[in-house]
Amino acid sequence: MEMKYVPTTCPYCGTGCGFNLVVKDAKVVGVAPWHRNPVNEGKVCPKGNYAWEFINAEDRLTTPLIKKDGTFVEASWDEALDLVASKLKQYQGEQSAALSSARVSNEENYLMQKFARVAMKTPNIDHCARLCHASTVVGLAGAFGSGAMTQSIKDIADADVLFIIGTNTLEQHPLIGRRIMQAKKRGAKIIAADPRYTPTAKLADIYMPFYSGTDVALFNSFMQYIIANDLQDKEFVEKRTKDYDKLKEVVMKPEYSFENVSKITGVPAETIKAAAELYANAKAANVLYSMGITQHTVGVDNVKSVANLQMLTGNLGRPGTGVCALRGQNNVQGACDMGALANVYSGYQSVIVPEMRKKMQDMWGIEDIAEGKVGLPVTRLINVLADEPGKVKAAYIMGENPMVSDPDLHHVEKGLRNLEFLVVQDIFLNETAALADVVLPAACYAEKDGTQTSTERRVQLWRKAQEPPGQAKADWEIITALAQKMGYEKQFPYTSAEEVFKEVAKVTPSYGGMSYERLGIEGLCWPCPTPEHPGTPILHKEKFAHPDGLGIFTPIEWKPPAEVPDEEYPLILTTGRCIWQWHTGTMTRRSQSLEREEPTGWIEINPEDAKALGIKDKEMVLAKTRRGEVQVGARVTDEIKKGVVFMPFHYIECAANFLTNNALDPVASIPEFKACAVRIEKIAEA
Ligand SMILES: Nc1nc2c(c(=O)[nH]1)N[C@H]1C(S)=C(S)[C@@H](COP(=O)(O)OP(=O)(O)OC[C@H]3O[C@@H](n4cnc5c(=O)[nH]c(N)nc54)[C@H](O)[C@@H]3O)O[C@H]1N2
Ligand SMILES: Nc1nc2c(c(=O)[nH]1)N[C@H]1C(S)=C(S)[C@@H](COP(=O)(O)OP(=O)(O)OC[C@H]3O[C@@H](n4cnc5c(=O)[nH]c(N)nc54)[C@H](O)[C@@H]3O)O[C@H]1N2
Ligand code: SF4
Ligand SMILES: [Mo]
C-alpha cells in the first residue's frame, strides 16, 4: 500500500483554504489538515472536509459523448473534437458564445477566453461572476478604480466594528466566519442586517431584520446620521475623495431619516439609530457583504453605497477597515482576473480600447481576434437565445450549469433548446449537459496542476493528486487540443499548465511577478507586478486606483426591486444557500456525508404568514410566481422576517430558479435573485 499527502487548495468557496489530499494506492481517499497554510491554519469546514468524496463517484464522465438520434453515444476524443472543431468553425464570430467557469483554474480560464477570442472569434465570453459579483466588479471599480475586495481575510479579526450585510459568512465562507469570531472574542462589536436570523446574524450585537431590497435606504440613513452629527472623517473625505457634496445632497433628504427608513426596511428606527451610532464612532470598521447586496436590479447601487459609507468614515486602507466583498466560487476572482468576462481581457484590460486589442493580437501572434466590442454577458446571452432565435447558434459551456443556476429556468431551457449546436465540458453529466450535442469529460481539481485566486486576491497552487478517470482530460488540455484541431497550433502550443501560467504573467500586469516557484506554500496576493514584489494584501493604502488617486462618491437614491408584492403575489421570495450543499449540487449531492444533512429543498416561512395561510411545518406547499411554480416542503420558522420567504436553490426537484425573476441590473447585468413576488398555496388534499 502506498500513501501520500498532496497539499492543494479547496475547490469550493472563495476563502481559498488549503488542505492535504490523502492518496492511497493512487486514489484520493480523504482530506487531512495542512497546518502551515496561512489562510485556514489547518482548519476546514464540512465541504472542505468532504471535498474528496465526489472525486471517484461512479458516474464521473469518463469518455466523450456525441448525441445521435436523441441519445448519447460514446465517442473517441478524435471523433468528438473533430465534430466540435468543424461546428465552431462553421459558426465563427458573433453566432457563437462561450461560457467559462469559476470552478476551473486560472490557466484554464485564460485559455477559454483566448480560445473564444482567437479561435471562435467571438466577443461573447462570460461566466457565472455575472450571477454573483458582477455588481462588485463594476461598483467598486467605479468608486475605487479596482473591483476587488480591499483587505486580507486575516485583517477582519482586527476590526472593532463589523457591519455584516447580505452575507451568511458562517455558512457560506466558514473560515472567514472564523475571523469574525476572532474579532468578536477580541471585543469587536457586530452589526448584522439580513431578512433571516442566520447563524451569522446570531453573532450580532445589533441585528436588523429588514425587507429584501431595501439596502440603499439603510445605508443612506446611516450616512445622513453621520453627516448630521459631523461624524464623517473630514480629512479622508477632503484628501482622498471627490464628489462629497453630491453625496450629501442626496443622503440628507428627508426620505432617509430613521423614521422613514424604518417604514421602508421594517426595522425599528431606534435599532437603526443605535447601529449607525456604533458604526460612526468605530476606530476601525469593516463592511462584509456578498449576495444579499449584489443580486439585485440595484446591485451596483448597493455596492456603491457600501463604498460611500466606507469613504465617508475613512474606513479604507488601514488595518481592520475595508470593503470585504466575499467572492463566492473558489476561482471566481481568478476567472474575472483572467478575462473570462464580456468586456475585458486578462487584468481588466478593456476590449474596447484599440491598443489593448492590438496588445493581445501581438502577444498571441494573430491579426484577426474577435472584434473589439463588448460581448454578451451570460444573462443577456440567455435572453438572446430565448427571444431572438438564430442570432447565436452555437455555444461552448465549460463548468457551469445554467439549467439550474440561472433565473427563470423555463426561459433558460427555451433558449438552450434553440441552439443549433451545444458542447458542454464538465466532470458530471449535469442538467445542462443533458441538452448538449457533444459532452467532453474533464478532470477535476484533484487531477490537475494549476492555480486559483481567492477572495483576498491570493493566487495559490492546485497540485495533481491522482489520474483523471477513464479518458477524462484537464480542461486546459481539451481546449488546447481543440484549438490545434481548428488550426491554431501556434497560439496554443502548451504541454503543461505552468507554461500557460508563464503566458498569463507576461500579458497580465497584476500577475506579472508571479511564477509557480514563487507561489510556493503561501501564494501571493495581486497586484504583484515584478518578480521582486512581495504582493499586496491591503489595497488603497495611500491612494485609490483611479488615475488621479481619488475615490469617487456616487449619490444613490433607493429604488424598490423590479417586482414587489401585490395582492396576487403577496410575499417577497429571496433565495440563497445552505452550508451543506454547493449550488446546483453536482459535487455535494454526490458526497454522502453532505447530502444526508440536507437531502432536499425547503421554503422558510414566518409563523404568522404560515398561520394566515393555514400551513404547518413540513407540509408540502405550492410556491408560485409569474414565471413558474414548484412544490416544496414548508419550514415554519421565526428566523425569517414576516412577509419574506426563503428557498435554497440547490435542488432540481424543487428548483428555486423556476420562480426567480431575470430582471437585470442595467449596468452589471446581474439578475434579481434576492427579491421577487411570490404566492404560497396550500396543496389541496387528494
Ligand atoms: N455552502 C455553500 N457555500 C457557498 C456557496 C454554496 O453554494 N454553498 N456558494 C458560494 C458562492 S458562489 C457565493 S456567491 C457565496 C454567497 O454567499 P452569501 O451571499 O453569504 O449567501 P446567500 O445565501 O446567497 O445570501 C446571503 C444572505 O443574504 C440574505 N439576503 C436576502 N435578501 C437580501 C437583501 O435584499 N439584502 C441583504 N442585505 N441581504 C439579503 C439572505 O437571507 C442570506 O442570509 O457563497 C459561497 N459559499
Ligand atoms: N436562485 C438563485 N440562483 C443563483 C444564486 C442565488 O443566490 N440564488 N447564486 C448564483 C451564483 S452567486 C452563482 S456563483 C451561480 C453558480 O452557478 P454555476 O456555476 O452554474 O453552478 P455550479 O453548480 O457551481 O456549476 C459548476 C459546474 O462545474 C462543474 N465542474 C466542477 N469542477 C470542474 C472542472 O474542473 N472542470 C469542468 N469542466 N467542470 C467542473 C460542476 O460539475 C458543475 O456542473 O449560481 C447562481 N444562481
Ligand atoms: S471555508 Fe471554503 S475554502 Fe475553506 S474549507 Fe470551507 S468551502 Fe473550502
Ligand atoms: Mo457566486
Side-chain angles (χ1 to χ4, degrees):
M1 186 185 76
E2 197 207 339
M3 286 269 282
K4 63 176 179 180
Y5 277 25
V6 180
T8 195
T9 315
C10 179
Y12 283 114
C13 89
T15 305
C17 298
F19 54 57
N20 283 300
L21 284 172
V22 182
V23 183
K24 193 174 146 193
D25 294 332
K27 287 272 176 238
V28 174
V29 294
V31 158
W34 171 7
H35 295 287
R36 284 167 68 206
N37 188 285
V39 178
N40 55 320
E41 297 166 333
K43 296 170 178 62
V44 288
C45 79
K47 287 178 301 299
N49 199 32
Y50 297 113
W52 61 277
E53 281 190 344
F54 69 87
I55 296 173
N56 293 307
E58 283 191 355
D59 59 346
R60 277 285 302 274
L61 286 168
T62 54
T63 167
L65 303 171
I66 296 178
K67 204 178 262 167
K68 290 183 180 155
D69 301 323
T71 37
F72 284 120
V73 181
E74 293 190 358
S76 70
W77 273 109
D78 254 346
E79 203 186 337
L81 292 182
D82 280 339
L83 176 59
V84 177
S86 74
K87 288 287 181 182
L88 295 183
K89 267 240 142 113
Q90 183 186 339
Y91 297 118
Q92 260 174 349
E94 289 183 63
Q95 297 181 79
S96 63
L99 295 187
S100 198
S101 171
R103 313 296 289 145
V104 310
S105 68
N106 285 323
E107 292 76 358
E108 292 165 335
N109 274 289
Y110 176 80
L111 288 194
M112 189 58 161
Q113 60 89 32
K114 179 172 176 182
F115 180 81
R117 289 164 171 145
V118 167
M120 294 169 70
K121 311 230 176 277
T122 181
N124 302 328
I125 163 83
D126 211 48
H127 77 284
C128 73
R130 191 63 56 192
L131 312 173
C132 182
H133 269 290
S135 335
T136 298
V137 176
V138 176
L140 294 187
F144 305 150
S146 161
M149 167 159 152
T150 66
Q151 306 293 119
S152 68
I153 294 170
K154 210 169 164 199
D155 190 65
I156 294 169
D158 293 329
D160 54 33
V161 175
L162 293 172
F163 186 5
I164 298 175
I165 179 162
T167 149
N168 182 3
T169 326
L170 254 48
E171 293 200 67
Q172 266 64 80
H173 295 89
L175 271 297
I176 297 181
R178 173 172 175 250
R179 300 295 182 188
I180 299 177
M181 295 199 279
Q182 287 173 343
K184 194 172 165 74
K185 236 181 174 170
R186 271 190 41 252
K189 294 281 181 245
I190 296 177
I191 302 168
D194 195 302
R196 297 162 62 223
Y197 196 42
T198 62
T200 315
K202 285 176 187 156
L203 294 175
D205 297 277
I206 301 180
Y207 167 54
M208 295 185 282
F210 72 140
Y211 292 121
S212 290
T214 61
D215 302 79
V216 166
L218 193 64
F219 282 112
N220 281 356
S221 74
F222 268 49
M223 290 188 274
Q224 180 176 105
Y225 173 84
I226 289 167
I227 294 174
N229 291 283
D230 214 20
L231 291 168
Q232 66 273 38
D233 184 334
K234 290 189 201 73
E235 195 186 331
F236 191 94
V237 170
E238 189 178 316
K239 294 211 176 111
R240 297 206 43 193
T241 69
K242 61 187 185 196
D243 294 346
Y244 166 69
D245 291 335
K246 292 186 192 162
L247 174 84
K248 185 172 168 187
E249 199 180 311
V250 166
V251 303
M252 294 316 282
K253 289 186 178 176
E255 283 98 305
Y256 303 116
S257 68
F258 289 134
E259 289 66 33
N260 202 52
V261 169
S262 167
K263 282 185 212 140
I264 299 174
T265 57
V267 184
E270 315 78 79
T271 312
I272 310 178
K273 181 169 181 227
E277 215 173 319
L278 177 60
Y279 202 80
N281 290 302
K283 285 194 200 71
N286 195 326
V287 179
L288 281 85
Y289 77 78
S290 195
M291 296 301 98
I293 286 289
T294 59
Q295 290 174 331
H296 292 277
T297 45
V298 295
V300 174
D301 285 356
N302 283 348
V303 169
K304 286 192 168 172
S305 297
V306 175
N308 284 342
L309 177 66
Q310 291 308 75
M311 289 190 289
L312 186 66
T313 51
N315 277 310
L316 284 158
R318 290 182 289 120
T321 66
V323 173
C324 286
L326 304 178
R327 301 301 301 257
Q329 300 255 36
N330 58 325
N331 197 31
V332 66
Q333 181 66 55
C336 293
D337 299 345
M338 293 303 107
L341 289 172
N343 59 336
V344 287
Y345 303 114
S346 68
Y348 306 93
Q349 304 176 83
S350 170
V351 296
I352 56 173
V353 174
E355 299 79 63
M356 294 299 172
R357 180 164 181 263
K358 170 94 178 34
K359 171 180 167 182
M360 293 304 154
Q361 301 205 133
D362 293 348
M363 288 281 187
W364 293 339
I366 184 164
E367 292 286 291
D368 62 342
I369 68 170
E371 226 184 295
K373 66 186 265 194
V374 178
L376 289 168
V378 178
T379 42
R380 297 197 190 274
L381 170 68
I382 299 287
N383 287 346
V384 165
L385 293 178
D387 307 331
E388 298 173 62
K391 200 165 165 187
V392 173
K393 299 194 177 84
Y396 179 7
I397 300 181
M398 165 174 75
E400 293 216 333
N401 194 6
M403 277 295 292
V404 185
S405 60
D406 276 17
D408 192 357
L409 292 179
H410 293 299
H411 185 250
V412 177
E413 179 168 358
K414 181 177 162 205
L416 292 177
R417 285 194 187 279
N418 279 340
L419 281 164
E420 284 173 28
F421 184 73
L422 173 62
V423 48
V424 168
Q425 182 168 311
D426 209 283
I427 60 174
F428 292 109
L429 193 87
N430 64 19
E431 289 77 5
T432 307
L435 298 182
D437 298 287
V438 179
V439 176
L440 303 174
C444 81
Y445 80 105
E447 296 151 356
K448 54 195 177 187
D449 292 327
T451 59
Q452 69 173 50
T453 306
S454 74
T455 186
E456 59 177 349
R457 294 166 281 105
R458 188 186 294 269
V459 184
Q460 302 180 96
L461 291 168
W462 276 350
R463 296 174 185 85
K464 180 170 174 173
Q466 70 164 42
E467 288 302 325
Q471 301 174 45
K473 288 184 201 285
D475 293 282
W476 68 263
E477 288 179 278
I478 303 174
I479 300 167
T480 300
L482 192 55
Q484 291 179 354
K485 288 253 184 217
M486 289 174 76
Y488 300 98
E489 293 90 350
K490 191 170 140 238
Q491 285 73 29
F492 290 81
Y494 316 105
T495 57
S496 72
E498 188 170 6
E499 279 172 31
V500 182
F501 193 80
K502 284 184 181 150
E503 184 175 318
V504 168
K506 222 184 266 170
V507 301
T508 316
S510 51
Y511 282 64
M514 294 185 192
S515 61
Y516 275 20
E517 203 184 349
R518 280 198 75 197
L519 292 178
I521 285 177
E522 304 226 329
L524 282 164
C525 295
W526 66 255
C528 174
T530 59
E532 304 75 41
H533 196 286
T536 315
I538 299 186
L539 296 178
H540 315 307
K541 270 190 178 156
E542 314 285 326
K543 57 184 175 63
F544 290 101
H546 286 303
D548 63 3
L550 298 178
I552 305 174
F553 282 109
T554 313
I556 310 278
E557 297 273 14
W558 174 70
K559 290 192 220 81
E563 198 183 58
V564 292
D566 56 18
E567 257 173 43
E568 208 182 339
Y569 299 98
L571 298 168
I572 302 172
L573 169 68
T574 190
T575 62
R577 320 164 144 71
C578 72
I579 188 168
W580 308 103
Q581 296 287 1
W582 190 262
H583 298 159
T584 70
T586 59
M587 290 149 74
T588 47
R589 298 196 83 181
R590 285 180 175 83
S591 178
Q592 282 164 13
S593 313
L594 298 171
E595 170 72 358
R596 72 170 172 238
E597 297 289 339
E598 291 286 14
T600 191
W602 66 89
I603 187 161
E604 290 170 18
I605 310 178
N606 180 280
E608 286 184 47
D609 291 325
K611 199 171 160 209
L613 291 160
I615 287 166
K616 288 192 218 57
D617 192 34
K618 299 201 174 72
E619 179 176 331
M620 286 302 281
V621 297
L622 193 65
K624 242 184 190 174
T625 68
R626 291 188 174 83
R627 294 153 294 278
E629 57 180 63
V630 295
Q631 291 197 9
V632 57
R635 198 171 273 183
V636 178
T637 165
D638 55 13
E639 297 191 342
I640 186 154
K641 192 170 178 64
K642 181 174 176 293
V644 185
V645 295
F646 167 86
M647 280 176 82
F649 76 100
H650 309 297
Y651 304 94
I652 185 65
E653 65 275 19
C654 47
N657 281 327
F658 281 117
L659 307 175
T660 47
N661 189 357
N662 75 341
L664 305 180
D665 179 289
V667 192
S669 297
I670 195 168
E672 195 139 64
F673 284 127
K674 287 292 185 269
C676 71
V678 68
R679 174 166 84 233
I680 310 295
E681 286 176 11
K682 228 178 138 65
I683 297 173
E685 279 163 41

Short mmCIF file of all heavy atoms in Angstrom, two decimals, residues 132 291 328-329 577 583, ligand 4:
data_model
loop_
_atom_site.label_atom_id
_atom_site.label_comp_id
_atom_site.label_asym_id
_atom_site.label_seq_id
_atom_site.Cartn_x
_atom_site.Cartn_y
_atom_site.Cartn_z
N CYS A 132 -23.27 36.79 -9.81
CA CYS A 132 -22.69 36.71 -8.47
C CYS A 132 -22.14 38.07 -8.01
O CYS A 132 -22.79 38.78 -7.27
CB CYS A 132 -21.62 35.64 -8.53
SG CYS A 132 -20.78 35.29 -7.02
N MET A 291 -23.89 38.10 -1.54
CA MET A 291 -25.00 38.12 -2.50
C MET A 291 -26.22 38.94 -2.07
O MET A 291 -27.01 39.36 -2.91
CB MET A 291 -25.45 36.69 -2.81
CG MET A 291 -24.41 35.83 -3.48
SD MET A 291 -23.85 36.50 -5.04
CE MET A 291 -22.36 37.32 -4.56
N GLY A 328 -17.50 34.33 -4.22
CA GLY A 328 -18.14 33.06 -3.91
C GLY A 328 -17.40 31.81 -4.30
O GLY A 328 -16.93 31.05 -3.47
N GLN A 329 -17.29 31.56 -5.59
CA GLN A 329 -16.69 30.31 -6.06
C GLN A 329 -15.18 30.34 -5.80
O GLN A 329 -14.55 31.40 -5.80
CB GLN A 329 -16.91 30.14 -7.57
CG GLN A 329 -18.38 30.10 -7.98
CD GLN A 329 -18.83 28.70 -8.35
OE1 GLN A 329 -18.38 27.73 -7.73
NE2 GLN A 329 -19.71 28.58 -9.33
N ARG A 577 -28.42 29.88 -0.10
CA ARG A 577 -27.72 28.60 0.04
C ARG A 577 -27.82 28.04 1.45
O ARG A 577 -28.23 28.72 2.38
CB ARG A 577 -26.24 28.84 -0.25
CG ARG A 577 -26.02 29.75 -1.36
CD ARG A 577 -24.61 30.29 -1.40
NE ARG A 577 -24.24 30.40 -2.80
CZ ARG A 577 -24.77 31.31 -3.62
NH1 ARG A 577 -25.62 32.19 -3.20
NH2 ARG A 577 -24.41 31.31 -4.90
N HIS A 583 -24.31 25.08 -4.76
CA HIS A 583 -25.00 25.47 -5.99
C HIS A 583 -25.90 24.38 -6.53
O HIS A 583 -26.83 23.96 -5.87
CB HIS A 583 -23.99 25.88 -7.06
CG HIS A 583 -23.21 27.07 -6.62
ND1 HIS A 583 -22.02 27.42 -7.14
CD2 HIS A 583 -23.49 28.00 -5.68
CE1 HIS A 583 -21.60 28.51 -6.54
NE2 HIS A 583 -22.47 28.87 -5.65
MO MO B 4 -21.37 33.10 -6.56
#
